[in-house]
Structure formats: C-alpha cells, structure tokens
Amino acid sequence: LLAIPLIALTVGLGFFVQQSAFVPIISQFGIFFFCYLLIFIYANEKSNLIFFIGVSILLRFILLFVLPNLSDDVYRFIWDGRLLLNGHNPFDFLPSYYIENNISIPGINEALFQTLNSPEYFTIYPPVAQGVFALACWLFPNSIIGSAITLKIFLFLCEIGSLFFIKKLLDHFQIPEKNIVLYALDPLIIIELCGNLHFEAAMIFFLLASIYFLVKNSESKLAGNLQVLPNFSTKKSDLKMDNNLGSNWKLPPKHLILSATSMALSIASKLLPLMFLPFLIKRLGWKKSIQYFAIVGIVIVLLFTPLLSGAFLNNFGASLDLYFQKFEFNASIYYVIRWVGYQVVGYNWIQSAGPALAVIVLLGILTATFLENNFTWKNVFGKMLFAICLYLAFATIVHPWYVSLPIVLCLFTRFRFPILWSGLIFLTYINYSYGEYFENLWMVGIEYVLVFLFLIYESPQPLK
C-alpha cells in the first residue's frame, strides 16, 4: 500500500511539476517524506526491507526517461560534453566566447546557449563528470534527451552500487540493516540525484567503495571488538587497541590501491571528499597514509591531465573564487554574518567573509583530526559527518542535493538530523515561485532553526 503512492509521487515530481510550482512540489514531497518515515519505522522484517529496496530501485528507474524538471544543469553538462567531443577544452573559454565569435562547433549554438543557467561563468565540473558528459554526447551527439538519459543511466548505476556498499558496510559494523531505507527511499536522494542529474551520486558511490575496501580486510578479532562497541563510545582498553591499529594492521596492497583509486574518483566527481583525507591518517598510520595519498594524488593527476591547459588553473580557480565570493543560496551561519556585516560596514562583505569561512572550516577539520583519540573505522563516518556539516554550516550556498552526503554518512552513526534536513530543505523551492527569483528567508529560518534544534537534542556531546 505504501509502495503505490511512492510510485505515483515519483511520477508526479519527476514528470509533471516545474521548478516554479512550489505548492505541487512541496505537497507531493511532503506526502512522499511522510510515507518514507512510516516505511522506516515499520519495515522491520527482512522481506520488507528487500521489497522496499526493490521499490527504491524502481523509483530511480522511472526517472531515467525524462529530462530533469527541477534543475537546468543538464544543459551545461551537454555543452561541456559537446565541446570535449569536438576537441575543445570546456575550461578554456566562457560559453559566450563561442557565440560572440561565431565559432562553428557541432551542437554548440545559440539555442543551447540560451538554456544555460550560468553562461557568464567558467565550468566547474571535475574530470569524472566531464568524461561522462563526453560519453553521453558521443553516444547521442544531436539529442539532448538521449544524452540526458545516458547521464541518468550512469548515475542510476552509481546509486545501485551505493546501495550495495551501504549494505556491506552496515553488515560489517553490525548496524541495523533497516538503516539502508534511510538512503534508499529518501525522496531528496531519489528526486535530486537520479531525477535532476546531480553528480553527488557518483561521489557517494566512489566514497563508499573507498571506505569499504579500507575496512574489508581488517582483522576478524579487531572487527569483532569494534562491532560490540556502542557508536562513538570510548574505553581505555579500546583506545589502546585502536592506537595500535595504524602500525599493526597490514593492508593488502590491492585493497590499498582499490580504496585510493576509488577515493580519487570520488574527488574527481565532486571535490568535497578532499576534506575527509585527514581522518585517514591515524587509522592507516603514517607509512600507509603516505602510500595511500600518493596513489590518490597520482590518479587525480592522471584524471585531470586531459583537461590541463594554460587557462585551466586560472579559470577553474576563478570559478571557485566566485563560488565563495559571489554565490548565495540557503546559507545558515553565513547569513547571520552577512546581516552583521550590513549593520557594521553597511554592505555585503561576502568577498572577504566567504574565504574566511572556508579557512575556519579547514581549521575546524584539522583540529578535529588532531584531537581525535578514537581511531576506529566505524567512528570515521561520524568524523566525516562532522566535517561535511561544518562545511555546509559555514557555506554561502547550500542546494538541496548538497545534503545527500550527510544523509549517507549518518546511516552509520546515531545522528538523524540530516534526515530531518532532507525533508525541510525542499522548502527552498519557494524561491523559484515568484515572478523573479527571490529568496524567502523565512523558509531558510524555519529550515535551520528546526535542524539545529534537532542536532542539539541529539548531541549533548556532539564532538565525542
């Protein structure tokens, strides 16, 4: 009975609503989210879990055959892919350069240019994404829908892979299997990743694969000891055992290579997993860490090499600068700081505040790494969750799909505030319902007040 409305709501959100139709979006999403919570609460039997995982795959499959209707990023994907397919580096010039100079490139034309949501900015998509863009355009050089379906198939396969690794990791750490439902059926994950074509799906898949290969061959005795510990618990005897982990655990070379390669692919899908690397040092030990980071670095260099040019660093860096110094959307702490800036200096000081907040995030992650004294692999998910949420708390822009990474990480911890966040962040779609884009700060306030209150409720000792 619950599967039927999920199918109907997926069809409704994926096929029949537009970005500006806030009431249909939020009403359908709200019902979907309510059904999703009911399923998680009551689906305790293994047969039920298998059934609903199958339903989650079906819902993703349904969305394969329609253009994204809540995001227009796909057109920039196709623009970049067509440039690559014709031997042009998408990092070299702004889209307007090709139109203004009447440069003849198959598929690069005024009609496609008019669909771009950021034609005045250099592309910012890393090499894994760019490679998939090029593949999609190679298979369907003249068809936007064909290219879009190809991109969706790739992300669909990534999502299937993510479900596989979530199941494996839950079993490894003896965490309840039903936690997989929190990712598999979360409407934000289904609608934003497979539906609206966001490459967080690829990032998450490769990140989970990387962690899985790191923990797979841990010693059975050590794994058994870790599995009986409550989440985030620390005992003196366990600390002694964990402190010896880095120096005594012999990671087979093939798993080191597989994990490091997967981590590099995750970083080359979205850059965010770079912030997780410090948490691996104490768990691997310095010797293994050097080997691991060397492999990650080599693979990343190999992936970026086809895109390197004289303009790459300047233009890619310019896009990152714009991200931290100009873009604003659904921020939390930054909006408070922005308000203070208006009161103190009389203008928006994002150009200085954005980079400063990024430095604060970096220092926070490094401090958490330095102070950590519980080096279990089970605990690494909590540290990663802390890092990404710290980043998002100080970010100047937080789109709904950015919450997908906290969602998957929280499955292996006691925290559930990312689940609430995934339900509330869809309120931001109200911004597109006005005649011109307008950010409704009341909705932003409701979203973050409730999320932070729930985090406080869950976290009497949030850094434990």
Side-chain angles (χ1 to χ4, degrees), residues 320-361:
L320 290 177
D321 285 342
L322 284 170
Y323 182 87
F324 288 108
Q325 297 183 30
K326 185 172 182 179
F327 294 156
E328 298 175 331
F329 180 86
N330 191 40
S332 55
I333 293 175
Y334 163 72
Y335 278 173
V336 176
I337 295 173
R338 184 182 68 176
W339 178 84
V340 172
Y342 277 118
Q343 309 308 308
V344 174
V345 298
Y347 60 86
N348 186 350
W349 54 8
I350 184 175
Q351 290 189 345
S352 55
L357 294 176
V359 172
I360 291 174
V361 172

Short mmCIF file of all heavy atoms in Angstrom, two decimals, residues 320-361:
data_model
loop_
_atom_site.label_atom_id
_atom_site.label_comp_id
_atom_site.label_asym_id
_atom_site.label_seq_id
_atom_site.Cartn_x
_atom_site.Cartn_y
_atom_site.Cartn_z
N LEU A 320 35.97 28.76 -8.61
CA LEU A 320 35.94 28.50 -7.17
C LEU A 320 35.86 29.80 -6.39
O LEU A 320 35.15 29.89 -5.37
CB LEU A 320 37.19 27.71 -6.77
CG LEU A 320 37.26 26.25 -7.26
CD1 LEU A 320 38.59 25.62 -6.83
CD2 LEU A 320 36.09 25.44 -6.72
N ASP A 321 36.59 30.82 -6.85
CA ASP A 321 36.52 32.12 -6.17
C ASP A 321 35.11 32.69 -6.21
O ASP A 321 34.60 33.22 -5.22
CB ASP A 321 37.48 33.11 -6.83
CG ASP A 321 38.94 32.84 -6.48
OD1 ASP A 321 39.17 32.13 -5.47
OD2 ASP A 321 39.82 33.31 -7.20
N LEU A 322 34.46 32.56 -7.37
CA LEU A 322 33.09 33.04 -7.48
C LEU A 322 32.16 32.30 -6.53
O LEU A 322 31.24 32.87 -5.94
CB LEU A 322 32.60 32.89 -8.92
CG LEU A 322 33.11 33.92 -9.94
CD1 LEU A 322 32.74 33.50 -11.34
CD2 LEU A 322 32.55 35.30 -9.63
N TYR A 323 32.42 30.99 -6.40
CA TYR A 323 31.59 30.16 -5.53
C TYR A 323 31.62 30.69 -4.10
O TYR A 323 30.59 30.76 -3.42
CB TYR A 323 32.08 28.72 -5.58
CG TYR A 323 31.26 27.76 -4.76
CD1 TYR A 323 30.12 27.16 -5.28
CD2 TYR A 323 31.60 27.45 -3.44
CE1 TYR A 323 29.36 26.28 -4.54
CE2 TYR A 323 30.85 26.58 -2.69
CZ TYR A 323 29.73 26.00 -3.23
OH TYR A 323 28.98 25.14 -2.48
N PHE A 324 32.81 31.07 -3.62
CA PHE A 324 32.95 31.52 -2.24
C PHE A 324 32.72 33.02 -2.08
O PHE A 324 32.51 33.48 -0.95
CB PHE A 324 34.35 31.17 -1.71
CG PHE A 324 34.55 29.70 -1.46
CD1 PHE A 324 35.35 28.94 -2.30
CD2 PHE A 324 33.93 29.07 -0.40
CE1 PHE A 324 35.55 27.59 -2.08
CE2 PHE A 324 34.11 27.71 -0.17
CZ PHE A 324 34.93 26.97 -1.00
N GLN A 325 32.75 33.79 -3.17
CA GLN A 325 32.72 35.24 -3.03
C GLN A 325 31.51 35.92 -3.68
O GLN A 325 31.36 37.13 -3.56
CB GLN A 325 34.00 35.85 -3.62
CG GLN A 325 35.27 35.41 -2.91
CD GLN A 325 36.50 36.08 -3.46
OE1 GLN A 325 36.44 37.20 -3.95
NE2 GLN A 325 37.64 35.41 -3.38
N LYS A 326 30.68 35.15 -4.36
CA LYS A 326 29.54 35.79 -5.02
C LYS A 326 28.23 35.06 -4.83
O LYS A 326 27.19 35.66 -4.57
CB LYS A 326 29.82 35.95 -6.52
CG LYS A 326 28.74 36.72 -7.26
CD LYS A 326 29.13 37.03 -8.69
CE LYS A 326 28.03 37.85 -9.38
NZ LYS A 326 28.39 38.18 -10.77
N PHE A 327 28.24 33.72 -4.94
CA PHE A 327 27.00 32.96 -4.90
C PHE A 327 26.45 32.91 -3.47
O PHE A 327 27.20 32.70 -2.50
CB PHE A 327 27.22 31.53 -5.40
CG PHE A 327 27.59 31.47 -6.86
CD1 PHE A 327 28.29 30.39 -7.37
CD2 PHE A 327 27.25 32.49 -7.72
CE1 PHE A 327 28.63 30.33 -8.71
CE2 PHE A 327 27.57 32.44 -9.07
CZ PHE A 327 28.27 31.35 -9.57
N GLU A 328 25.13 33.05 -3.36
CA GLU A 328 24.44 32.93 -2.07
C GLU A 328 23.15 32.17 -2.28
O GLU A 328 22.37 32.48 -3.19
CB GLU A 328 24.12 34.32 -1.50
CG GLU A 328 25.33 35.18 -1.19
CD GLU A 328 24.95 36.58 -0.74
OE1 GLU A 328 23.88 37.06 -1.17
OE2 GLU A 328 25.71 37.18 0.01
N PHE A 329 22.92 31.17 -1.45
CA PHE A 329 21.66 30.44 -1.52
C PHE A 329 21.53 29.57 -0.28
O PHE A 329 22.41 28.75 0.03
CB PHE A 329 21.60 29.55 -2.77
CG PHE A 329 20.31 28.76 -2.91
CD1 PHE A 329 19.20 29.32 -3.51
CD2 PHE A 329 20.21 27.47 -2.41
CE1 PHE A 329 18.02 28.61 -3.62
CE2 PHE A 329 19.03 26.75 -2.52
CZ PHE A 329 17.94 27.32 -3.13
N ASN A 330 20.46 29.75 0.47
CA ASN A 330 20.09 28.85 1.57
C ASN A 330 21.22 28.65 2.57
O ASN A 330 21.44 27.54 3.07
CB ASN A 330 19.63 27.50 1.01
CG ASN A 330 18.99 26.63 2.07
OD1 ASN A 330 18.25 27.11 2.91
ND2 ASN A 330 19.30 25.33 2.05
N ALA A 331 21.96 29.69 2.88
CA ALA A 331 23.03 29.58 3.87
C ALA A 331 22.45 29.71 5.28
O ALA A 331 21.32 30.15 5.47
CB ALA A 331 24.08 30.66 3.62
N SER A 332 23.24 29.36 6.27
CA SER A 332 22.78 29.45 7.66
C SER A 332 23.65 30.45 8.43
O SER A 332 23.31 31.62 8.55
CB SER A 332 22.81 28.07 8.33
OG SER A 332 24.09 27.47 8.24
N ILE A 333 24.79 30.02 8.94
CA ILE A 333 25.65 30.90 9.72
C ILE A 333 26.11 32.09 8.88
O ILE A 333 26.21 33.22 9.37
CB ILE A 333 26.85 30.11 10.28
CG1 ILE A 333 26.36 29.09 11.31
CG2 ILE A 333 27.88 31.05 10.92
CD1 ILE A 333 27.44 28.18 11.83
N TYR A 334 26.38 31.85 7.61
CA TYR A 334 26.85 32.94 6.75
C TYR A 334 25.82 34.07 6.68
O TYR A 334 26.18 35.26 6.68
CB TYR A 334 27.15 32.44 5.34
CG TYR A 334 27.24 33.56 4.35
CD1 TYR A 334 28.32 34.45 4.36
CD2 TYR A 334 26.20 33.79 3.43
CE1 TYR A 334 28.37 35.51 3.47
CE2 TYR A 334 26.25 34.85 2.55
CZ TYR A 334 27.34 35.70 2.57
OH TYR A 334 27.38 36.76 1.71
N TYR A 335 24.53 33.73 6.62
CA TYR A 335 23.51 34.77 6.53
C TYR A 335 23.49 35.63 7.79
O TYR A 335 23.21 36.83 7.74
CB TYR A 335 22.13 34.16 6.28
CG TYR A 335 21.87 33.81 4.84
CD1 TYR A 335 20.73 33.11 4.46
CD2 TYR A 335 22.75 34.20 3.83
CE1 TYR A 335 20.48 32.79 3.13
CE2 TYR A 335 22.52 33.89 2.50
CZ TYR A 335 21.37 33.18 2.16
OH TYR A 335 21.13 32.87 0.84
N VAL A 336 23.76 35.01 8.93
CA VAL A 336 23.86 35.78 10.18
C VAL A 336 25.05 36.74 10.09
O VAL A 336 24.96 37.92 10.45
CB VAL A 336 24.00 34.85 11.39
CG1 VAL A 336 24.20 35.65 12.68
CG2 VAL A 336 22.78 33.94 11.51
N ILE A 337 26.18 36.22 9.61
CA ILE A 337 27.38 37.05 9.46
C ILE A 337 27.13 38.16 8.43
O ILE A 337 27.58 39.31 8.61
CB ILE A 337 28.58 36.18 9.06
CG1 ILE A 337 28.91 35.20 10.20
CG2 ILE A 337 29.79 37.02 8.71
CD1 ILE A 337 29.98 34.19 9.84
N ARG A 338 26.41 37.83 7.36
CA ARG A 338 26.09 38.85 6.36
C ARG A 338 25.26 39.97 6.97
O ARG A 338 25.50 41.16 6.70
CB ARG A 338 25.33 38.21 5.19
CG ARG A 338 25.04 39.16 4.05
CD ARG A 338 24.24 38.47 2.95
NE ARG A 338 22.88 38.13 3.37
CZ ARG A 338 21.96 37.59 2.56
NH1 ARG A 338 22.29 37.30 1.31
NH2 ARG A 338 20.76 37.30 3.01
N TRP A 339 24.30 39.62 7.81
CA TRP A 339 23.47 40.62 8.47
C TRP A 339 24.31 41.51 9.37
O TRP A 339 24.15 42.74 9.40
CB TRP A 339 22.37 39.93 9.28
CG TRP A 339 21.49 40.89 10.03
CD1 TRP A 339 20.41 41.56 9.55
CD2 TRP A 339 21.66 41.30 11.40
NE1 TRP A 339 19.87 42.37 10.52
CE2 TRP A 339 20.62 42.22 11.67
CE3 TRP A 339 22.55 40.98 12.40
CZ2 TRP A 339 20.47 42.82 12.92
CZ3 TRP A 339 22.41 41.58 13.64
CH2 TRP A 339 21.38 42.48 13.90
N VAL A 340 25.23 40.88 10.11
CA VAL A 340 26.13 41.66 10.96
C VAL A 340 26.96 42.61 10.10
O VAL A 340 27.19 43.77 10.47
CB VAL A 340 27.06 40.72 11.77
CG1 VAL A 340 28.13 41.52 12.51
CG2 VAL A 340 26.24 39.89 12.75
N GLY A 341 27.39 42.13 8.93
CA GLY A 341 28.17 42.98 8.04
C GLY A 341 27.40 44.22 7.61
O GLY A 341 27.96 45.33 7.57
N TYR A 342 26.12 44.05 7.29
CA TYR A 342 25.31 45.19 6.91
C TYR A 342 25.20 46.20 8.06
O TYR A 342 25.19 47.41 7.84
CB TYR A 342 23.92 44.73 6.48
CG TYR A 342 23.84 44.27 5.05
CD1 TYR A 342 23.49 42.95 4.74
CD2 TYR A 342 24.10 45.14 3.99
CE1 TYR A 342 23.41 42.52 3.42
CE2 TYR A 342 24.02 44.72 2.67
CZ TYR A 342 23.68 43.41 2.39
OH TYR A 342 23.61 42.99 1.07
N GLN A 343 25.09 45.67 9.29
CA GLN A 343 24.97 46.57 10.43
C GLN A 343 26.27 47.29 10.72
O GLN A 343 26.27 48.46 11.13
CB GLN A 343 24.54 45.78 11.68
CG GLN A 343 23.31 44.90 11.51
CD GLN A 343 22.13 45.65 10.93
OE1 GLN A 343 21.76 46.71 11.44
NE2 GLN A 343 21.54 45.10 9.86
N VAL A 344 27.41 46.62 10.49
CA VAL A 344 28.71 47.18 10.88
C VAL A 344 29.30 48.05 9.78
O VAL A 344 29.74 49.19 10.02
CB VAL A 344 29.69 46.05 11.25
CG1 VAL A 344 31.10 46.61 11.52
CG2 VAL A 344 29.19 45.29 12.47
N VAL A 345 29.34 47.54 8.56
CA VAL A 345 30.02 48.26 7.48
C VAL A 345 29.05 48.79 6.43
O VAL A 345 29.45 49.52 5.53
CB VAL A 345 31.09 47.38 6.81
CG1 VAL A 345 32.16 46.99 7.81
CG2 VAL A 345 30.47 46.13 6.18
N GLY A 346 27.79 48.33 6.48
CA GLY A 346 26.79 48.87 5.58
C GLY A 346 26.69 48.21 4.22
O GLY A 346 26.00 48.71 3.33
N TYR A 347 27.39 47.10 4.02
CA TYR A 347 27.30 46.40 2.74
C TYR A 347 27.58 44.91 2.95
O TYR A 347 28.00 44.49 4.03
CB TYR A 347 28.27 46.99 1.71
CG TYR A 347 29.74 46.92 2.11
CD1 TYR A 347 30.51 45.79 1.86
CD2 TYR A 347 30.35 48.00 2.76
CE1 TYR A 347 31.84 45.73 2.23
CE2 TYR A 347 31.69 47.95 3.14
CZ TYR A 347 32.42 46.81 2.87
OH TYR A 347 33.74 46.74 3.25
N ASN A 348 27.34 44.12 1.90
CA ASN A 348 27.54 42.68 1.94
C ASN A 348 29.04 42.39 1.80
O ASN A 348 29.63 42.68 0.77
CB ASN A 348 26.77 42.01 0.81
CG ASN A 348 26.82 40.50 0.89
OD1 ASN A 348 27.57 39.93 1.67
ND2 ASN A 348 26.01 39.83 0.06
N TRP A 349 29.62 41.79 2.83
CA TRP A 349 31.07 41.54 2.79
C TRP A 349 31.40 40.09 2.44
O TRP A 349 32.36 39.52 2.94
CB TRP A 349 31.72 41.94 4.10
CG TRP A 349 31.14 41.33 5.36
CD1 TRP A 349 30.21 40.36 5.45
CD2 TRP A 349 31.50 41.68 6.70
NE1 TRP A 349 29.94 40.06 6.76
CE2 TRP A 349 30.73 40.87 7.56
CE3 TRP A 349 32.40 42.57 7.26
CZ2 TRP A 349 30.83 40.93 8.95
CZ3 TRP A 349 32.49 42.65 8.65
CH2 TRP A 349 31.71 41.84 9.48
N ILE A 350 30.63 39.54 1.50
CA ILE A 350 30.85 38.15 1.10
C ILE A 350 32.25 37.93 0.53
O ILE A 350 32.85 36.86 0.70
CB ILE A 350 29.79 37.69 0.07
CG1 ILE A 350 29.97 36.19 -0.26
CG2 ILE A 350 29.80 38.54 -1.17
CD1 ILE A 350 28.90 35.62 -1.17
N GLN A 351 32.81 38.95 -0.16
CA GLN A 351 34.11 38.76 -0.80
C GLN A 351 35.20 38.46 0.21
O GLN A 351 36.19 37.79 -0.09
CB GLN A 351 34.47 39.98 -1.63
CG GLN A 351 33.62 40.11 -2.88
CD GLN A 351 34.12 41.20 -3.81
OE1 GLN A 351 34.92 42.04 -3.41
NE2 GLN A 351 33.65 41.20 -5.04
N SER A 352 35.06 38.97 1.43
CA SER A 352 36.03 38.67 2.48
C SER A 352 35.52 37.59 3.42
O SER A 352 36.29 36.76 3.91
CB SER A 352 36.38 39.93 3.28
OG SER A 352 35.20 40.53 3.79
N ALA A 353 34.21 37.58 3.67
CA ALA A 353 33.65 36.60 4.61
C ALA A 353 33.68 35.19 4.04
O ALA A 353 33.97 34.23 4.77
CB ALA A 353 32.22 36.98 4.97
N GLY A 354 33.40 35.04 2.72
CA GLY A 354 33.36 33.71 2.12
C GLY A 354 34.67 32.96 2.28
O GLY A 354 34.69 31.84 2.83
N PRO A 355 35.80 33.51 1.82
CA PRO A 355 37.08 32.82 2.01
C PRO A 355 37.44 32.63 3.47
O PRO A 355 38.03 31.61 3.83
CB PRO A 355 38.08 33.76 1.31
CG PRO A 355 37.26 34.51 0.31
CD PRO A 355 35.92 34.69 0.95
N ALA A 356 37.10 33.60 4.32
CA ALA A 356 37.42 33.47 5.75
C ALA A 356 36.67 32.29 6.37
O ALA A 356 37.23 31.54 7.18
CB ALA A 356 37.06 34.77 6.49
N LEU A 357 35.42 32.10 5.97
CA LEU A 357 34.65 30.97 6.49
C LEU A 357 35.23 29.65 6.00
O LEU A 357 35.22 28.65 6.74
CB LEU A 357 33.19 31.10 6.06
CG LEU A 357 32.42 32.29 6.66
CD1 LEU A 357 31.02 32.37 6.08
CD2 LEU A 357 32.37 32.19 8.18
N ALA A 358 35.74 29.62 4.77
CA ALA A 358 36.38 28.41 4.26
C ALA A 358 37.62 28.07 5.08
O ALA A 358 37.88 26.89 5.37
CB ALA A 358 36.75 28.59 2.79
N VAL A 359 38.36 29.07 5.49
CA VAL A 359 39.54 28.84 6.34
C VAL A 359 39.11 28.30 7.70
O VAL A 359 39.75 27.40 8.26
CB VAL A 359 40.35 30.15 6.50
CG1 VAL A 359 41.45 29.98 7.54
CG2 VAL A 359 40.95 30.57 5.17
N ILE A 360 38.02 28.83 8.25
CA ILE A 360 37.51 28.35 9.53
C ILE A 360 37.15 26.87 9.44
O ILE A 360 37.44 26.08 10.34
CB ILE A 360 36.29 29.18 9.97
CG1 ILE A 360 36.73 30.60 10.34
CG2 ILE A 360 35.58 28.52 11.16
CD1 ILE A 360 35.57 31.53 10.63
N VAL A 361 36.52 26.49 8.34
CA VAL A 361 36.15 25.08 8.14
C VAL A 361 37.40 24.21 8.09
O VAL A 361 37.47 23.15 8.73
CB VAL A 361 35.33 24.92 6.85
CG1 VAL A 361 35.12 23.44 6.53
CG2 VAL A 361 33.98 25.62 6.98
#
